Amino acid sequence: MCSCFVRLLVHVSNTALSLRDLIVDGAWNLSGLYTMLPSSIVEALLSLSPSLDAHLLDAWVWSPNRAGVYTAATAYQWLLQQRGLVVTGGDWQWLWKIRASEKVRVLIWFILHDALQVNSVRFRCHLAASPQCSRCSHPVEDVLHCLRDCLHSHEIWLHLQAFGWPQFNVSEVVTWIQSQVRGPHSTLFVSALWGLWRCWNERVLGEAKWTLHYTYSWIWNEEKEYDQYLAKSQERILGPLQIDRWKPPASAFVSLTIDGAYDHTQRRMGMGGVVRDQHGVWQFGFCAGMLEGDPLAAELSALRLQECASMFMDIHLLLARQWDIRLRHISREANGPADCLTGYGASQQCAFTYFDNPSDIVVPLLSQDVLTL
Ligand SMILES: [Zn+2]
């Protein structure tokens, strides 16, 4: 309601008071208020026309957030606005998604905000007598000089053969960082970035003097450990690598596996399906190709194709029939025969082909499914 800062002592009898107690018939009734409010606040309150929804309970609402919920981000923006500072923002989502540890992400965040304490920044903050590089006496030690161009850093990157990497030699630091963390050597790059920053700290501010050889070995070791860490994280999220296989249906049931595909370059859809019994024995198969369409239409058409074979009428009718039907999404590895027929249908542009017996192209895939049962 008010953006001014007022520290109030709330009267003990008002601690459980809610807005609903002070608003009667759409108007303020402050007679139940024993807390001494400054006249400016009372005037501000009375200038508002209160409106209450009888169906909603009183609740704390954080107005800087349109959802009414307090978040650190909206609080930070609100505080900046109170100080008259412009919220420049910027899209930093990409930074927090890069394949790097949290410490490296924070390091990069400092770099991108021109806040990494290299000598030019320390000089600006009156923490250093000069912006000069203390290692090679270059007039200005900015981020690019410290982490890439200074003799010691340059030597390390040279050993890593980084100067041949795409956009490694750009003169703008944000482009340099973005291109490398998204590039083909991202793991090595972030390991080297962290290693070189540690090296700078040890050599300039610390006691230990990292040699060129030690820094180089440290970076390679860091990259190796980092690769292992990423592999473990992925396994923790996705579970151990498992190859999906075709699973036969229960006795007296049949398995229908279908697939659809869309070739963007040829603008062509392909559909295919295979029906097998619990022993993996072929019952029948089908495929078709069609011009135009899209990937979703291709997948759906793979089901509806069977209408042409007078087996099914419509997907909804199919599911509504009085039978026991179970739908399951399977990976491409477990759907080899249908995937193969789909590709065949797309390449032939055939309207519809029905297979009483398996064609030669799917026989090896059917055998593989049976062998892995
Ligand atoms: Zn230097």
Side-chain angles (χ1 to χ4, degrees):
M1 259 188 270
C2 179
S3 61
C4 52
F5 293 96
V6 178
R7 185 164 296 172
L8 289 173
L9 288 174
V10 178
H11 193 281
V12 67
S13 60
N14 287 157
T15 51
L17 209 60
S18 68
L19 276 178
R20 204 172 289 277
D21 301 318
L22 300 175
I23 298 170
V24 179
D25 297 330
W28 292 101
N29 177 11
L30 302 182
S31 59
L33 198 64
Y34 295 102
T35 303
M36 297 296 290
L37 289 179
S39 58
S40 58
I41 291 185
V42 173
E43 283 173 26
L45 278 175
L46 294 177
S47 69
L48 298 171
S49 299
S51 168
L52 287 180
D53 187 328
H55 302 291
L56 294 178
L57 295 173
D58 279 346
W60 288 103
V61 175
W62 175 242
S63 62
N65 186 353
R66 290 176 67 184
V69 180
Y70 174 85
T71 63
T74 53
Y76 176 68
Q77 287 173 352
W78 180 79
L79 280 169
L80 288 181
Q81 284 165 359
Q82 303 312 305
R83 293 181 171 201
L85 298 172
V86 178
V87 184
T88 51
D91 180 15
W92 304 110
Q93 292 293 319
W94 65 270
L95 170 58
W96 306 111
K97 291 178 182 171
I98 63 172
R99 283 165 55 88
S101 58
E102 210 58 28
K103 65 186 181 187
V104 175
R105 289 174 179 168
V106 172
L107 170 70
I108 294 176
W109 191 90
F110 274 109
I111 292 173
L112 298 178
H113 285 77
D114 193 22
L116 196 69
Q117 294 294 297
V118 291
N119 269 351
S120 61
V121 174
R122 296 173 73 230
F123 177 69
R124 195 177 69 212
C125 299
H126 308 291
L127 295 172
S130 155
Q132 206 176 46
C133 175
S134 51
R135 292 185 291 180
C136 73
S137 302
H138 188 274
V140 178
E141 185 194 65
D142 57 14
V143 167
L144 273 182
H145 177 82
C146 174
L147 296 177
R148 188 187 68 184
D149 300 334
C150 189
L151 288 176
H152 189 86
S153 304
H154 189 274
E155 197 74 10
I156 293 289
W157 291 116
L158 209 58
H159 274 72
L160 298 174
Q161 301 182 332
F163 289 100
W165 298 351
Q167 291 192 281
F168 190 81
N169 304 303
V170 293
S171 57
E172 207 270 312
V173 69
V174 177
T175 311
W176 183 59
I177 296 283
Q178 279 192 324
S179 62
Q180 298 313 307
V181 297
R182 291 169 175 167
H185 308 281
S186 59
T187 314
L188 184 54
F189 175 78
V190 295
S191 303
L193 204 64
W194 183 251
L196 286 167
W197 179 237
R198 277 207 61 180
C199 172
W200 182 91
N201 277 272
E202 297 291 353
R203 286 174 71 99
V204 176
L205 305 177
E207 296 295 322
K209 303 297 178 195
W210 283 27
T211 63
L212 188 72
H213 178 72
Y214 181 82
T215 311
Y216 184 66
S217 310
W218 189 95
I219 289 170
W220 278 115
N221 198 41
E222 175 82 353
E223 197 222 5
K224 198 170 79 182
E225 285 183 10
Y226 188 47
D227 267 340
Q228 289 169 351
Y229 162 76
L230 285 177
K232 277 184 185 169
S233 310
Q234 197 162 355
E235 191 174 307
R236 206 165 46 241
I237 296 167
L238 302 175
L241 185 62
Q242 289 179 347
I243 298 172
D244 199 9
R245 300 285 188 201
W246 177 74
K247 292 181 179 61
S251 174
F253 282 75
V254 291
S255 151
L256 161 66
T257 51
I258 59 164
D259 194 18
Y262 179 70
D263 184 339
H264 288 273
T265 53
Q266 304 286 327
R267 292 189 171 182
R268 186 186 295 170
M269 289 196 299
M271 293 77 78
V274 173
V275 176
R276 284 171 281 182
D277 68 10
Q278 76 267 27
H279 304 297
V281 175
W282 179 276
Q283 303 299 302
F284 66 89
F286 56 89
C287 74
M290 220 175 280
L291 286 174
E292 297 303 328
D294 57 61
L296 180 60
E299 299 283 357
L300 291 175
S301 298
L303 254 183
R304 292 191 72 247
L305 263 181
Q306 295 158 93
E307 177 182 283
C308 308
S310 303
M311 294 293 292
F312 308 118
M313 292 178 67
D314 184 79
I315 296 170
H316 291 287
L317 288 176
L318 167 69
L319 298 176
R321 283 188 175 185
Q322 294 299 309
W323 59 8
D324 191 355
I325 185 164
R326 290 165 198 174
L327 299 178
R328 189 166 78 89
H329 176 262
I330 57 175
S331 67
R332 177 172 290 181
E333 292 77 31
N335 200 21
D339 181 55
C340 176
L341 285 182
T342 298
Y344 179 74
S347 67
Q348 299 296 306
Q349 290 191 50
C350 48
F352 181 78
T353 304
Y354 183 85
F355 299 95
D356 277 321
N357 297 302
S359 69
D360 292 343
I361 54 171
V362 292
V363 168
L365 298 165
L366 292 167
S367 305
Q368 188 178 317
D369 280 351
V370 173
L371 286 172
T372 52
L373 289 180

